[in-house]
């Protein structure tokens, strides 16, 4: 049996694998009316088997969510960090509807990373009939996939039963995914040869993706660094800069702190990875945080009703509120800048530790090399 590799290595590795019009007035390019306004997106759908034997898989996913996010943020397109959207599915759980093929869309494609964490920590395993073709079909047809060619659309399915179970053909489902430029990667939880014999490798090949096998019960290895405590303290200060507004502001701010604690229950290193994610531009909460809202819309305060503001700001003048938000913005940016510098030092420390480790899998270096080649072929650059 091959040396098992962690879910992180797989998700991180595979997640990276993948002229001007003229107007009627003459030769000037059409710009203002038809300019693309949406940022490039990296969209990732995680399809996880939640049958009885998959507790280890769920634990690995919880352990590596923020590491996955941080790796995706190293990708740049035209010098900009793409928006990241993640969707979570569970399948093969007897607690789900048989009529729906034991499938549940846990979240749509969303940039609300706290929501992904919340739902991931809520997953429970139970019995199961695992229909891979059905869940791939559901994700392909029901998620809101972007259409621009510059976007990367990636689907990962992990499980341990034969890939061809159920009445919906995995071959047809994967063919539909490819028509939508979605790359399908398969992760078999068990022996590599068994995964090949039960069509998991064939699924990846047909999906223009990659096939991996993992030991889903293996414990994730963490590297403790001298920078973890400092990042931990930065995160506590960072949380104080979030100002909830509207009907969900208070609830979402509490949820943010709950997901901090969830990350910490896994390990201190996992908490640190989450904190680093919160220092990135992809961690945005404009639907409930006043600072992010004003950053995305500088006219937001003038349109906001008094009752939408947090209580401590409802008696303030508009100028006082603007000054308050500006101060919080400045404070947050300073903390995030400090965290970014610490995160780079931390990652360099981790890279050195893994490079000198006898347990490092050589496959990891090969995957890293392929990441750079495939990402650049798609027009992306990688910045660490």
């Amino acid at each position: 049996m091959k040396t098992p590799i962690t879910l992180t290595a797989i998700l991180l590795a595979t997640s990276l694998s993948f002229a001007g019009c003229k107007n009627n007035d003459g030769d000037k390019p059409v710009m203002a009316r038809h300019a693309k306004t949406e940022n490039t997106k990296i969209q990732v759908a995680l399809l996880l088997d939640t049958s009885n034997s998959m507790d280890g898989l769920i634990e690995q996913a919880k352990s590596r969510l923020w590491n996955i996010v941080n790796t995706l943020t190293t990708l740049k397109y035209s010098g900009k960090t793409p928006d990241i959207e993640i969707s979570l599915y569970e399948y093969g759980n007897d607690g789900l509807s048989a009529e729906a093929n034991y499938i549940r869309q846990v979240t749509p494609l969303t940039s609300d990373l706290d929501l992904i964490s919340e739902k991931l920590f809520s997953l429970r395993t139970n019995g199961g009939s695992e229909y891979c073709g059905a869940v791939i079909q559901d994700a392909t047809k029901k998620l809101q996939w972007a259409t621009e060619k510059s976007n990367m659309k990636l689907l990962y399915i992990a499980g341990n039963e034969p890939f061809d179970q159920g009445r919906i053909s995995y071959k047809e489902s994967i063919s539909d995914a490819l028509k939508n430029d979605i790359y399908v990667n398969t992760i078999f939880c068990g022996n590599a040869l068994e995964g090949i014999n039960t069509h998991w490798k064939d699924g990846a090949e047909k999906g223009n993706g990659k096939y991996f096998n993992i030991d889903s019960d293996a414990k994730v290895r963490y590297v403790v660094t001298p920078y973890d405590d400092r990042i931990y303290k930065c995160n506590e200060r960072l949380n104080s800069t979030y100002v909830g507004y509207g009907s969900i502001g208070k609830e979402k701010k509490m949820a943010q702190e709950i997901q901090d604690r969830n990350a910490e229950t896994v390990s201190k290193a996992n908490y640190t990875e989450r904190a680093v994610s919160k220092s990135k531009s992809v961690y945005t909460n404009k639907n409930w945080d006043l600072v992010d809202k004003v950053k995305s819309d500088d006219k937001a305060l003038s349109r906001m009703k008094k009752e939408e503001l947090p209580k401590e700001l409802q008696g303030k003048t508009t100028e006082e509120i603007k000054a308050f938000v500006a101060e919080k913005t400045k404070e947050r940016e300073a903390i995030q800048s400090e965290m970014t510098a610490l995160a780079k030092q931390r990652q360099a420390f981790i890279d050195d530790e893994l490079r000198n480790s006898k347990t490092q899998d050589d496959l990891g270096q090969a995957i890293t090399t392929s990441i750079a080649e495939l990402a650049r072929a798609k027009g992306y650059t990688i910045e660490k």
Side-chain angles (χ1 to χ4, degrees), residues 56-156:
L57 174 66
I58 305 307
E59 288 305 310
Q60 284 194 20
K62 287 192 272 188
S63 299
R64 290 310 198 189
L65 171 64
W66 301 108
N67 190 275
I68 293 165
V69 170
N70 289 335
T71 299
L72 291 173
T73 61
T74 66
L75 284 179
K76 307 291 181 185
Y77 190 83
S78 297
K80 295 177 62 179
T81 299
D83 294 333
I84 294 173
E85 293 182 346
I86 299 176
S87 169
L88 182 62
Y89 268 79
E90 65 169 324
Y91 74 100
N93 190 313
D94 276 352
L96 304 176
S97 167
E99 293 179 357
N101 290 307
Y102 304 104
I103 294 166
R104 180 169 74 102
Q105 184 189 106
V106 183
T107 74
L109 284 163
T110 178
S111 58
D112 188 341
L113 300 177
D114 284 350
L115 177 64
I116 295 293
S117 176
E118 174 191 335
K119 297 303 183 181
L120 189 56
F121 274 83
S122 72
L123 292 180
R124 299 293 182 269
T125 58
N126 179 31
S129 298
E130 297 95 313
Y131 301 146
C132 296
V135 70
I136 292 170
Q137 181 188 82
D138 200 274
T140 298
K141 292 186 175 181
K142 294 185 179 179
L143 293 176
Q144 296 296 309
W145 297 100
T147 58
E148 292 292 332
K149 285 293 184 183
S150 59
N151 297 311
M152 289 208 294
K153 297 177 284 188
L154 308 153
L155 184 151
Y156 309 92

Side-chain angles (χ1 to χ4, degrees), residues 225-238 268-269 271-277 279 335 338-347:
T225 83
Y227 309 99
D228 295 349
D229 285 340
R230 292 166 66 185
I231 294 174
Y232 191 109
K233 291 177 181 176
C234 282
N235 187 60
E236 291 179 335
R237 290 159 47 209
L238 183 68
K268 188 171 182 177
Y271 178 97
T272 306
E273 289 283 358
R274 170 172 162 78
V276 170
S277 294
S279 72
I335 297 169
E338 182 180 351
M339 293 172 79
T340 298
L342 289 169
K344 287 183 178 180
Q345 293 174 294
R346 177 178 181 268
Q347 190 58 52

Side-chain angles (χ1 to χ4, degrees), residues 4 53-60 189-190 214-219:
S53 55
M54 292 288 97
D55 292 285
L57 174 66
I58 305 307
E59 288 305 310
Q60 284 194 20
C189 301
I214 66 168
D215 178 358
S216 58
D217 292 323
K219 298 296 182 183

Side-chain angles (χ1 to χ4, degrees), residues 127-379:
S129 298
E130 297 95 313
Y131 301 146
C132 296
V135 70
I136 292 170
Q137 181 188 82
D138 200 274
T140 298
K141 292 186 175 181
K142 294 185 179 179
L143 293 176
Q144 296 296 309
W145 297 100
T147 58
E148 292 292 332
K149 285 293 184 183
S150 59
N151 297 311
M152 289 208 294
K153 297 177 284 188
L154 308 153
L155 184 151
Y156 309 92
I157 179 167
N160 70 341
E161 291 293 328
F163 203 69
D164 59 350
Q165 291 188 109
R167 66 180 186 273
I168 297 175
S169 167
Y170 75 85
K171 296 176 183 179
E172 293 179 8
S173 296
I174 290 173
S175 176
D176 289 340
L178 285 181
K179 289 174 184 176
N180 288 280
D181 203 28
I182 302 166
Y183 293 82
V184 179
N185 308 278
T186 67
I187 306 161
F188 180 69
C189 301
N191 179 274
L193 183 58
E194 183 183 355
I196 293 171
N197 291 338
T198 53
H199 310 293
W200 284 79
K201 187 172 187 290
D202 185 55
E205 290 174 346
K206 283 184 166 54
N208 286 350
K210 294 186 180 294
Y211 163 71
F212 295 91
N213 76 291
I214 66 168
D215 178 358
S216 58
D217 292 323
K219 298 296 182 183
V220 173
R221 182 193 170 198
Y222 299 103
V223 177
V224 178
T225 83
Y227 309 99
D228 295 349
D229 285 340
R230 292 166 66 185
I231 294 174
Y232 191 109
K233 291 177 181 176
C234 282
N235 187 60
E236 291 179 335
R237 290 159 47 209
L238 183 68
N239 283 350
S240 69
T241 69
Y242 283 86
V243 183
Y245 74 89
S247 60
I248 63 171
K250 184 176 180 180
E251 176 187 343
K252 294 294 285 185
K253 183 168 172 57
M254 288 177 61
Q256 180 188 61
E257 295 171 0
I258 289 170
Q259 296 321 307
D260 279 354
R261 293 197 293 272
N262 275 341
E264 192 171 19
T265 63
V266 175
S267 74
K268 188 171 182 177
N270 190 50
Y271 178 97
T272 306
E273 289 283 358
R274 170 172 162 78
V276 170
S277 294
K278 289 166 67 177
S279 72
K280 311 270 189 176
S281 61
V282 297
Y283 184 80
T284 179
N285 298 284
K286 61 184 180 182
N287 63 323
W288 66 266
D289 169 56
L290 200 56
V291 173
D292 280 344
K293 180 65 174 176
V294 172
K295 187 175 181 180
S296 67
D297 178 6
D298 58 6
K299 305 294 184 184
L301 289 177
S302 62
R303 293 192 296 269
M304 197 168 289
K305 298 176 181 178
K306 178 182 176 181
E307 56 269 25
E308 292 181 286
L309 293 166
K311 288 184 179 180
E312 63 268 27
L313 294 181
Q314 289 183 7
K316 307 265 185 200
T317 66
T318 301
E319 290 306 312
E320 288 175 328
I321 295 171
K322 286 181 179 179
F324 174 85
V325 172
E327 183 60 32
K328 287 292 182 183
T329 301
K330 181 179 178 182
E331 183 182 353
R332 183 180 299 177
E333 289 174 349
I335 297 169
Q336 288 176 326
S337 178
E338 182 180 351
M339 293 172 79
T340 298
L342 289 169
K344 287 183 178 180
Q345 293 174 294
R346 177 178 181 268
Q347 190 58 52
F349 183 94
I350 291 172
D351 290 344
D352 286 341
E353 285 288 306
L354 295 178
R355 193 175 297 117
N356 298 324
S357 171
K358 293 180 180 179
T359 61
Q360 184 181 15
D361 191 339
D362 289 338
L363 180 62
Q365 185 60 45
I367 290 173
T368 302
T369 302
S370 69
I371 287 171
E373 291 174 357
L374 292 168
R376 291 189 180 109
K378 185 75 175 176

